[in-house]
Amino acid sequence: MSEYIVSARKYRPDSFETLIGQDNIAQTLKNSIIRGKLAHAYLFCGPRGVGKTTTARIFAKAINCSNPSEDMEPCGKCESCISFQEGRSYCIHELDAASNNGVDDIKTLMDKVQIPPQVGKYSVYIIDEVHMLSTAAFNAFLKTLEEPPAHAIFILATTEKHKILPTILSRCQTFDFNRISVPDIVRNLRTIAAKENVTIDDESLHVIARKADGAMRDALTIFDQTVAFCGTDVKYEEVLEPQRT
């Protein structure tokens, strides 16, 4: 039996083109690479499941890609892209601040920041759930943000922007991610259903999209649950049944 992969992971966007519902942000980030106007710190904020961390990963790949497309899409074939996809990147680093939120965790990260990248032009540091950092960790991080090495770029992601210290906010370019519209969610689910050989009508997809409340990740989770309950031939009445409980 082949290993089952949930749809939220299997169909996670890996390029700006495949991002759902964040077109303006994607275009702005691509333009910043094309024009050579990269900031040293970005803050991606917004509701959960709308693509903040995914966008950060795509942006990080595009920054260091040695052979991007004319539209600044990462090639997926150079050493930088491949090493990131295989989880052994030399220039793209991720930290989950929800479980690594102490001052020692940040100091360890800051020590790494001083080392120039082995592959690519920049070392990109993605810090997810950055609002979970302790006050001491924030203060330790601030010192590096004030005078970052030329090769370092930080991408911070959070669902709770109001918990970020003003001194941190003032040093970041902030991007506010929107909830994904019902039509966009339905369109993406329809494509995924076709790939998975699942028969489902648009009315059922709209029920799932509304239930997801603007979060693509939640929509994919509900879609998986629906297929588990209904099988590959999904009926509208069966989709409504779990919603009544």
Side-chain angles (χ1 to χ4, degrees):
M1 180 182 291
S2 60
E3 182 183 356
Y4 173 70
I5 303 174
V6 296
S7 295
R9 286 181 54 205
K10 186 175 182 180
Y11 295 103
R12 189 170 196 165
D14 59 1
S15 66
F16 287 116
E17 184 181 12
T18 53
L19 274 176
I20 308 296
Q22 310 296 346
D23 295 347
N24 291 339
I25 291 174
Q27 191 59 55
T28 301
L29 294 175
K30 287 193 289 186
N31 288 345
S32 69
I33 303 173
I34 293 169
R35 295 166 184 166
K37 296 186 178 295
L38 292 172
H40 70 272
Y42 296 85
L43 177 65
F44 293 174
C45 49
R48 62 188 176 84
V50 297
K52 300 183 298 299
T53 305
T54 294
T55 302
R57 290 172 175 172
I58 295 168
F59 186 39
K61 279 202 303 180
I63 287 171
N64 272 316
C65 180
S66 61
N67 189 32
S69 69
E70 290 185 5
D71 199 28
M72 271 300 126
E73 295 286 3
C75 70
K77 298 178 181 178
C78 68
E79 173 57 26
S80 177
C81 287
I82 292 172
S83 63
F84 178 70
Q85 287 159 195
E86 294 179 351
R88 54 176 181 84
S89 179
Y90 303 109
C91 54
I92 302 171
H93 313 271
E94 294 190 51
L95 176 73
D96 178 13
S99 53
N100 302 277
N101 53 18
V103 66
D104 289 339
D105 297 309
I106 288 297
K107 285 182 176 179
T108 299
L109 182 66
M110 295 306 100
D111 288 341
K112 293 181 182 178
V113 169
Q114 304 305 319
I115 304 172
Q118 298 179 24
V119 176
K121 187 176 180 181
Y122 296 97
S123 288
V124 185
Y125 296 87
I126 300 170
I127 305 180
D128 206 3
E129 302 293 348
V130 69
H131 63 274
M132 299 289 285
L133 290 179
S134 67
T135 301
F138 265 128
N139 288 331
F141 182 45
L142 181 59
K143 294 178 181 179
T144 299
L145 270 189
E146 288 173 340
E147 296 181 7
H151 61 261
I153 293 177
F154 298 96
I155 308 175
L156 318 179
T158 181
T159 54
E160 301 190 49
K161 179 181 175 182
H162 61 280
K163 291 185 178 180
I164 309 297
L165 295 178
T167 47
I168 299 288
L169 291 174
S170 66
R171 288 167 173 80
C172 298
Q173 278 193 16
T174 301
F175 289 83
D176 292 302
F177 283 64
N178 299 314
R179 294 184 186 277
I180 300 171
S181 70
V182 168
D184 280 344
I185 292 176
V186 169
R187 195 176 303 113
N188 193 42
L189 289 178
R190 190 187 299 124
T191 300
I192 291 171
K195 291 178 179 178
E196 294 293 316
N197 296 314
V198 173
T199 303
I200 183 170
D201 57 36
D202 277 4
E203 289 79 6
S204 299
L205 293 177
H206 273 84
V207 172
I208 295 172
R210 289 194 299 270
K211 185 73 173 176
D213 193 27
M216 192 70 240
R217 186 172 63 227
D218 289 1
L220 291 171
T221 299
I222 298 169
F223 174 78
D224 285 349
Q225 291 174 331
T226 301
V227 173
F229 179 71
C230 303
T232 56
D233 187 10
V234 179
K235 305 298 184 186
Y236 179 64
E237 294 75 14
E238 292 177 320
V239 175
L240 290 179
E241 190 63 31
Q243 314 301 325
R244 296 193 183 107
T245 60

